[in-house]
Amino acid sequence: MATPSTVSSRLDRGIDLVRSFLDDLPDLADEWGKLAEAPRVSLSLEWDHLMADYLTELDEHYRSGEMGPGQIAEYKLLLGRLKEVLPIINRLNLYRPPISLDG
Amino acid sequence: MPGGTTRPLKARVARDAPVAAGTLIEPEGLILVAATQARQLTPGELAGVLAHVARDGFDPARNVPATGLSGDQWEGQILRGRQDFITSAARHYLRHVVRGQEWPDGTTLDRYEESIRRVVINPRSGAFTSRYDGQWQLGIVRRSGEYQGHGGFEWILVEYRIGIERWVTAFQPSEGLQFIRSPRRSDVRWLRRPR
């Protein structure tokens, strides 16, 4: 059974994973066309995983009130970053965030 | 094959033997047969395809940027994100096992790759074909079970790409398998449902 600390750690990890990829996404987008097929596909699939699984789970916990104040602040920053990179997401035809970005 | 990147498929007896261009590799040919609905594969054919896929593994080229992995340590060095290039196996291991903890604590790279092979050949795993970024891929899914770590999800997915003839990913998607809804993916067809 998941304890509150286990859930909290999981949410921290999810926020970190999405944020880490977002931090590199603008520069990665500039070099997207230079990537070989295999790494380009792998990174696209990883993005799919982040959006479909990690972001969805974060949003569920956010909407249900299960995030701590610090996590809420970080999650809202994440939503803001996702809004900023929507043009990149659209340009690269990546998996769109399947949740509302209006925190 | 319509759309996207395609490569001539080359038959071979051994992995690196020289071959005549344009001849289909039997396992990849069968995946195409199934993907394009030319006919259904027999259980024996599917088992043979999966055994082939299990053997191929990740691409060993060191050509994958360490995007999102800044600060992680690999082979004695601290990675600088996209400025560093690592192998596909290393990237997936660092991302999904070390950082993501999707696999249990203490899982080594070898154990991670072995778990992938086990998922691929497990007769209870589901298998589907789809077109991703214009090229056919074979996906295999199984409940994560004993392979689910603190950060893991309910399933394990492995995807194999025609033309590259390698695994292109292995991670743990959540219930519902929503990753399939990527706009880069189309023509999903189940060859065998997971049991």
Side-chain angles (χ1 to χ4, degrees):
Chain A
M1 177 182 290
T3 64
S5 63
T6 303
V7 171
S8 183
S9 295
R10 188 180 170 98
L11 296 177
D12 284 339
R13 193 163 40 239
I15 290 170
D16 174 64
L17 287 166
V18 176
R19 179 176 52 215
S20 296
F21 201 107
L22 275 176
D23 285 345
D24 281 347
L25 184 60
D27 291 332
L28 178 65
D30 288 342
E31 294 164 12
W32 193 256
K34 300 176 193 170
L35 290 173
E37 181 182 352
R40 188 186 69 246
V41 170
S42 289
L43 289 168
S44 298
L45 286 163
E46 183 173 324
W47 178 262
D48 294 348
H49 184 31
L50 285 172
M51 292 297 101
D53 303 314
Y54 284 91
L55 186 64
T56 300
E57 183 175 84
L58 286 170
D59 201 64
E60 285 171 0
H61 284 276
Y62 169 66
R63 305 279 170 197
S64 66
E66 292 173 287
M67 276 189 181
Q71 288 173 335
I72 290 173
E74 292 205 38
Y75 183 63
K76 287 184 174 179
L77 283 174
L78 206 64
L79 294 181
R81 285 287 288 138
L82 280 165
K83 271 188 184 175
E84 289 174 6
V85 300
L86 273 177
I88 295 176
I89 292 170
N90 290 331
R91 175 161 56 90
L92 299 183
N93 196 30
L94 293 175
Y95 198 126
R96 278 72 165 174
I99 51 101
S100 170
L101 299 183
D102 298 322
Chain B
M1 185 181 304
T5 303
T6 57
R7 296 185 180 186
L9 299 177
K10 296 173 287 185
R12 57 194 178 200
V13 173
R15 177 172 287 282
D16 298 310
V19 297
T23 309
L24 288 176
I25 298 174
E26 188 58 27
E28 276 74 24
L30 287 173
I31 295 172
L32 289 176
V33 162
T36 57
Q37 302 185 53
R39 66 170 174 85
Q40 278 189 318
L41 301 187
T42 65
E45 286 174 328
L46 181 57
V49 165
L50 294 171
H52 171 84
V53 168
R55 283 192 299 271
D56 269 353
F58 285 112
D59 185 345
R62 194 182 288 261
N63 65 355
V64 186
T67 303
L69 299 176
S70 293
D72 288 14
Q73 189 170 358
W74 183 250
E75 294 180 334
Q77 293 188 327
I78 304 297
L79 296 175
R80 299 168 297 165
R82 64 175 186 81
Q83 297 177 73
D84 287 323
F85 288 81
I86 53 180
T87 65
S88 187
R91 185 193 166 78
H92 284 87
Y93 175 69
L94 288 170
R95 165 59 186 84
H96 300 297
V97 181
V98 177
R99 195 179 262 232
Q101 296 183 34
E102 292 177 25
W103 267 252
D105 291 344
T107 299
T108 61
L109 175 56
D110 283 346
R111 296 292 283 271
Y112 168 62
E113 291 183 288
E114 180 58 29
S115 74
I116 296 169
R117 280 187 281 269
R118 287 176 179 269
V119 167
V120 171
I121 63 172
N122 190 316
R124 300 180 70 83
S125 295
F128 66 96
T129 54
S130 66
R131 202 197 301 261
Y132 194 90
D133 268 4
Q135 179 59 282
W136 294 107
Q137 294 186 175
L138 177 68
I140 301 100
V141 292
R142 198 209 84 166
R143 289 285 180 182
S144 51
E146 71 275 25
Y147 296 130
Q148 185 176 7
H150 298 301
F153 292 88
E154 290 78 12
W155 294 90
I156 290 180
L157 163 76
V158 184
E159 289 214 64
Y160 175 90
R161 190 170 177 87
I162 301 296
I164 296 176
E165 299 158 35
R166 295 287 185 181
W167 307 339
V168 283
T169 200
F171 62 75
Q172 294 192 9
S174 60
E175 199 68 59
L177 303 176
Q178 294 298 314
F179 72 90
I180 283 182
R181 297 188 171 188
S182 171
R184 303 177 88 93
R185 190 187 299 273
S186 64
D187 302 294
V188 178
R189 179 165 186 259
W190 284 93
L191 309 186
R192 185 174 75 194
R193 294 281 179 173
R195 293 182 283 131

